[in-house]
Amino acid sequence: MKKNYGFLIAALSLGGVGLILSTMDNVLAAESGGSGQDGQELKAKLYVTLEEPDALGAVDPKSQKRLGEITVGGKPHDVTCAPDGATAYVTNPETHNLSVVDTVTDKVKKTVEFGQGTTPWHVEISPDGSQVFAALQDQSAVAIIATADNHLATKVSVTSGPWAVAAPKNGPWAVAAPSNDVVYVTLNGSITKGTANAARSEDIAVFDPTAAVPTVKYVTLAADTANGPHGIVSAPDGSAVYVAAEASHEVWKINVDGNQAKRLVKIPDPNPDGTPLNPGFPTDLGISPDGNTLIAVNHDLDSITVINLKTHKIIETVSTGEGSAPWGALISPDGQTAYISTNGTDSLAFFSMKELTDGTEGARKHTIADLPTSDGLAWCNLAQ
């Protein structure tokens, strides 16, 4: 989850390192408000977690300039922005903490410690911005941070291996009482703790984060199949969440009203006799602002699969390059651009959504090179 915009870039600058785009037949239009480089008001930033320099990269997409590199914790993995645009939250698995970043100054204003033995992976923020949720994989818990003062409020225990978090916005379909708040957490651990409802280690945990003592329930995708739920993303209207099931190579939908789970598509294995060891596809998801298109990231197949959510049909599968190991996905707020963090080649790939969804094959990949991405991508509309 995890986050969104387009670049018109001939070159970017990362410190002294040039971020050079591959040659294009044509380029995508810039999509941000102000440049922030010539005295104009900066309206938005794209944040990218940078694994090797232990940093968060910030880019002004209109001026195509790198705004800086923010040192955070060890091996930052994911990032999310507050609804008011004032703060970004970054998980740091290697140093067992979360960095709270001021988006105006691009400085870390606080570090939230989770303790030794914890591995914070994905992070999400509640629709009202009052709570941040971090999946602590090795502690089998979800940390809840109160954003009023950015302190660790509590940890909610789940079965083994929490990986990614979704927090759908409130609506008449929400079922968590007494409030309409609900959180979904994918579990893909290998060890199951004993629980009253015999939850498996690869189910979806569901709870109300506002309860004094959250009661965790579990949703099973398919009881007779090892699905390996991994990435998860909320529908824009909050009515559903979509789950990337990497072990069964499927994408599932869970309706918030009643928590019914439905298999949407199965992603074909192009080499069924040589399936990757992990197996790693699909591992992450990105959804369009209109809720009509889903991008499934196939980490071990070096590709993305584009899905029509109205017909539940695959439009096409597009290569992200040999050895690219795509990890995270994000679609811009205007729905024009898809961003894919390609960790295997230390770069950020992006595609025109029009080319991905027009029914023709061969969408062109554009690449920002020399960018050691991990998973996290977040679009932050700055507070004005």
Side-chain angles (χ1 to χ4, degrees):
M1 209 210 237
K2 290 88 170 184
K3 299 156 190 177
N4 314 324
Y5 249 81
F7 291 86
L8 172 59
I9 310 177
L12 291 173
S13 173
L14 171 57
V17 181
L19 304 184
I20 309 300
L21 285 178
S22 59
T23 301
M24 311 177 193
D25 293 332
N26 59 9
V27 292
L28 303 174
E31 301 164 357
S32 178
S35 73
Q37 299 293 320
D38 54 7
Q40 296 184 31
E41 185 179 47
L42 183 67
K43 295 183 179 180
K45 295 178 185 178
L46 176 70
Y47 286 110
V48 185
T49 51
L50 307 178
E51 189 173 56
E52 288 305 318
D54 295 339
L56 183 67
V59 172
D60 169 15
K62 183 172 183 179
S63 68
Q64 305 98 44
K65 299 294 185 180
R66 185 59 180 258
L67 299 172
E69 182 177 300
I70 308 150
T71 299
V72 289
K75 299 294 184 287
H77 186 80
D78 197 19
V79 56
T80 191
C81 278
D84 67 2
T87 310
Y89 297 86
V90 185
T91 51
N92 306 304
E94 190 172 74
T95 49
H96 325 293
N97 55 26
L98 177 140
S99 299
V100 182
V101 176
D102 184 316
T103 61
V104 175
T105 64
D106 274 343
K107 296 183 181 299
V108 175
K109 59 184 180 181
K110 186 170 183 178
T111 300
V112 181
E113 301 291 344
F114 298 128
Q116 291 294 322
T118 61
T119 308
W121 285 110
H122 283 260
V123 63
E124 183 61 283
I125 193 163
S126 62
D128 66 1
S130 65
Q131 294 178 308
V132 165
F133 314 105
L136 307 181
Q137 188 179 50
D138 291 344
Q139 199 178 43
S140 297
V142 178
I144 300 180
I145 295 95
T147 61
D149 58 1
N150 291 314
H151 79 277
L152 177 59
T154 190
K155 293 179 182 178
V156 179
S157 293
V158 295
T159 54
S160 172
W163 182 263
V165 185
K169 71 178 184 180
N170 296 339
W173 43 79
V175 295
S179 72
N180 286 332
D181 294 301
V182 64
V183 167
Y184 290 82
V185 186
T186 57
L187 310 174
N188 62 3
S190 59
I191 302 172
T192 304
K193 292 183 176 181
T195 60
N197 58 3
R200 304 186 311 170
S201 63
E202 59 166 52
D203 289 335
I204 313 299
V206 187
F207 62 88
D208 175 1
T210 66
V213 181
T215 299
V216 181
K217 300 179 180 179
Y218 295 88
V219 177
T220 297
L221 299 184
D224 59 344
T225 305
N227 297 106
H230 201 265
I232 189 169
V233 67
S234 300
D237 66 1
S239 63
V241 294
Y242 296 90
V243 180
E246 65 171 346
S248 58
H249 314 318
E250 298 166 337
V251 174
W252 285 70
K253 177 182 180 180
I254 301 174
N255 290 318
V256 172
D257 184 7
N259 287 325
Q260 306 99 331
K262 178 181 180 181
R263 181 188 290 108
L264 292 189
V265 299
K266 188 175 183 70
I267 296 176
D269 187 343
N271 184 22
D273 295 327
T275 299
L277 179 63
N278 281 345
F281 67 97
T283 52
D284 207 351
L285 301 169
I287 194 166
S288 61
D290 61 10
N292 293 335
T293 308
L294 195 71
I295 302 290
V297 178
N298 305 315
H299 181 272
D300 286 0
L301 299 184
D302 294 332
S303 67
I304 56 173
T305 295
V306 188
I307 302 165
N308 185 320
L309 291 177
K310 287 186 174 181
T311 64
H312 298 173
K313 301 292 185 181
I314 292 175
I315 300 173
E316 67 172 324
T317 293
V318 179
S319 172
T320 53
E322 183 177 357
S324 58
W327 209 342
L330 171 150
I331 299 177
S332 64
D334 65 0
Q336 293 186 15
T337 309
Y339 299 96
I340 311 296
S341 56
T342 44
N343 180 259
T345 50
D346 287 342
S347 62
L348 180 66
F350 57 100
F351 298 83
S352 161
M353 284 295 293
K354 182 178 180 181
E355 293 185 4
L356 290 176
T357 58
D358 64 5
T360 62
E361 296 184 0
R364 290 162 293 181
K365 180 187 72 170
H366 311 303
T367 304
I368 304 173
D370 299 320
L371 189 64
T373 60
S374 52
D375 192 340
L377 299 167
W379 186 259
C380 192
N381 292 311
L382 303 181
Q384 301 300 323

